Amino acid sequence: MPLKEQHVVVLGGTSGIGLATAALAAERGARVTVVSSRPDSAHRALATLPTGTAAETADLTDTHQVSALFDRLGPLDHLVYTAGDPLALMTVDTMDLDAARALFTLRYFGALDAVRAATPQLRPGGSITLTSGTAGLRPVPGWSVPASVCGAVEALVRALAVELAPIRVNAVRAGMIRTPLWSGLPEADREQLYAQTAAALPLGRIGDPEDTAEAYAYLMEQRFATGTVLTVDGGGLLA
């Protein structure tokens, strides 16, 4: 069990993909800490995760809180960044530039700042796994800003893999996954989106968080992978 007794920190680890990744890492013997900006979310996550899991709260857009978080956490072996706010879709002709900038705040700059603060604490053989999405490779109208975030994260992964070596830096490129990030849509619209997407996929279904968690675990355990972006999308890039 490569993760046994290793310290895995999952930022955004209290719901969706992050929660599933935390649960899988704990199942594989890791000592897991999940981090959320909301204490209530952290408490709910702890109720579902194995005994011994810890939870912290921090605003990942506040660099002082991020630095203090990693000072408290101390040494770690693997950093996983899955934090993200609901996607803001907008066409160029109706774009709110402030909203466009805001989408980078947590998903890109939050990840970059977490890497900055965590790197001095990473033990030899450690890894960092960030989160991207297939929109960066196959956007549709209205997705120019989220696609740009995905592209920026993937470029960051390659640059950090060189700069931080021998720390391994990778990312998971997720397709449509059933997570709370889509909860802003009315239920009927959300289920219609899931059904339409599933019908177009070679595997005939959208992903569950547990499907994607396997990819994060693989990248933590795979000691010869760095600068890699692993796609988990049910074949969406082929559809």
Side-chain angles (χ1 to χ4, degrees):
M1 298 177 69
L3 294 182
K4 186 174 177 60
E5 297 182 358
Q6 296 202 350
H7 187 191
V8 174
V9 175
V10 186
L11 304 184
T14 60
S15 67
I17 291 171
L19 180 61
T21 301
L24 182 59
E27 179 185 315
R28 296 189 180 185
R31 178 169 66 89
V32 177
T33 301
V34 296
V35 180
S36 173
S37 61
R38 302 189 306 274
D40 59 330
S41 182
H43 292 150
R44 283 196 302 271
L46 284 182
T48 68
L49 290 167
T51 301
T53 304
E56 292 273 353
T57 57
D59 179 353
L60 299 178
T61 67
D62 183 327
T63 190
H64 299 294
Q65 290 193 38
V66 171
S67 294
L69 169 68
F70 284 97
D71 286 343
R72 294 195 303 273
L73 290 174
L76 65 144
D77 299 285
H78 303 283
L79 173 68
V80 176
Y81 194 95
T82 63
D85 37 19
L87 295 172
L89 307 182
M90 60 191 84
T91 57
V92 172
D93 59 335
T94 62
M95 183 170 292
D96 179 335
L97 200 55
D98 288 336
R101 289 192 184 99
L103 197 59
F104 278 82
T105 301
L106 180 58
R107 291 175 176 268
Y108 176 82
F109 288 109
L112 180 58
D113 196 37
V115 170
R116 172 199 62 79
T119 297
Q121 302 283 11
L122 277 166
R123 296 187 179 103
S127 76
I128 297 166
T129 309
L130 305 183
T131 301
S132 178
T134 54
L137 294 181
R138 194 167 184 180
V140 296
W143 282 75
S144 59
V145 179
S148 299
V149 175
C150 293
V153 168
E154 294 185 15
L156 178 63
V157 163
R158 292 188 289 273
L160 290 175
V162 174
E163 181 174 340
L164 301 182
I167 293 171
R168 297 180 294 106
V169 185
N170 299 290
V172 174
R173 181 191 291 131
M176 176 70 74
I177 308 296
R178 188 184 296 272
T179 76
L181 287 179
W182 300 101
S183 61
L185 291 174
E187 183 177 0
D189 294 344
R190 185 169 65 249
E191 292 302 322
Q192 182 180 15
L193 173 65
Y194 289 160
Q196 289 175 341
T197 303
L201 293 177
L203 294 188
R205 68 176 180 89
I206 64 167
D208 293 316
E210 292 73 17
D211 297 319
T212 317
E214 294 281 355
Y216 290 90
Y218 170 80
L219 290 173
M220 284 187 275
E221 295 175 341
Q222 171 50 263
R223 295 177 296 173
F224 203 55
T226 194
T228 294
V229 180
L230 181 58
T231 301
V232 183
D233 70 342
L237 293 180
L238 305 175

